[in-house]
Amino acid sequence: STAGTTVLGAFDDLPELARVAREEGLWLHVDASWGGAAFFSGVDATRGLVHGAHLADSVCWNPHKLMGVPSQCTVFVTRRAGVLREANACGASYLFQPDKLHADQDLGDKTVGCGRRPDALKLWLMWKAMGDDGFAARVDHAMGLASHVAARARADPRFVFVHHNYSNVLFYVLPPSLQRRQRG
């Protein structure tokens, strides 16, 4: 399912998809790569766009997109313990020694990349510095800017307004020669 497509800012009906997935015995993944920032909004309508994500088996979010966390930063969470190890484990004994201190916390066998840098640290530091209120302010400011741009695009005859949802605003420039034709 989708929570914030990159072009239209579209959000699926997550509770309905969760119901279908549950009835059919399907894994429900929510791709909130772009729209996941809505989780932090202080505005009910914006936060409501991701309503039902808690019903999913997994959710991903890219804080480097709307939140401005330095690239690259991805969050992937799942309610199913052990599934990442099952999907990605290669069991390379030369890499993952089961007898080392805190072996159960080694992320290497839980990811495709095996030895990724600690991308989560960037998110943690930014969240620690800004707090929940700072994150909400960032999201809500972006939504306000998008609403402002949408209003300007609707009101200006040089533009043809197409769509506005979430922080996505689509419009195009109507050249003066075509403006005259449209009016004439």
Side-chain angles (χ1 to χ4, degrees):
S1 63
T2 300
T5 60
T6 54
V7 176
L8 294 177
F11 287 77
D12 287 332
D13 182 343
L14 301 178
E16 177 61 14
L17 290 174
R19 182 191 64 75
V20 171
R22 195 172 45 254
E23 286 176 6
E24 300 296 327
L26 301 172
W27 179 283
L28 177 62
H29 174 71
V30 176
D31 180 351
S33 297
W34 176 241
F39 288 118
F40 297 94
S41 176
V43 177
D44 290 340
T46 302
R47 209 174 37 257
L49 293 170
V50 289
H51 173 71
H54 66 287
L55 302 170
D57 296 290
S58 58
V59 177
C60 71
W61 167 51
N62 296 142
H64 66 268
K65 292 183 177 176
L66 192 119
M67 299 304 293
V69 173
S71 275
Q72 164 155 357
C73 185
T74 298
V75 174
F76 180 90
V77 293
T78 178
R79 65 174 63 248
R80 305 232 181 137
V83 73
L84 294 177
R85 187 177 304 280
E86 289 172 29
N88 297 300
C90 65
S93 60
Y94 61 93
L95 286 176
F96 312 112
Q97 298 83 27
D99 58 341
K100 73 180 175 188
L101 187 61
H102 305 296
D104 59 321
Q105 296 175 20
D106 189 334
L107 299 179
D109 240 0
K110 296 177 185 170
T111 65
V112 174
C114 176
R116 299 257 337 222
R117 59 190 185 274
D119 289 335
L121 181 61
K122 296 179 277 192
L123 173 59
W124 182 84
L125 288 170
M126 187 172 169
W127 201 342
K128 190 80 171 155
M130 295 179 70
D132 292 349
D133 291 342
F135 270 25
R138 180 163 286 192
V139 172
D140 297 339
H141 181 68
M143 298 308 128
L145 289 173
S147 293
H148 176 76
V149 168
R152 296 286 304 264
R154 280 185 180 106
D156 192 324
R158 295 173 297 173
F159 303 121
V160 175
F161 174 80
V162 178
H163 179 79
H164 170 223
N165 192 43
Y166 189 55
S167 61
N168 300 44
V169 180
L170 289 97
F171 62 92
Y172 59 91
V173 175
L174 190 62
S177 61
L178 294 178
Q179 289 175 28
R180 285 189 289 278
R181 265 194 228 159
Q182 195 173 28
R183 286 189 212 112

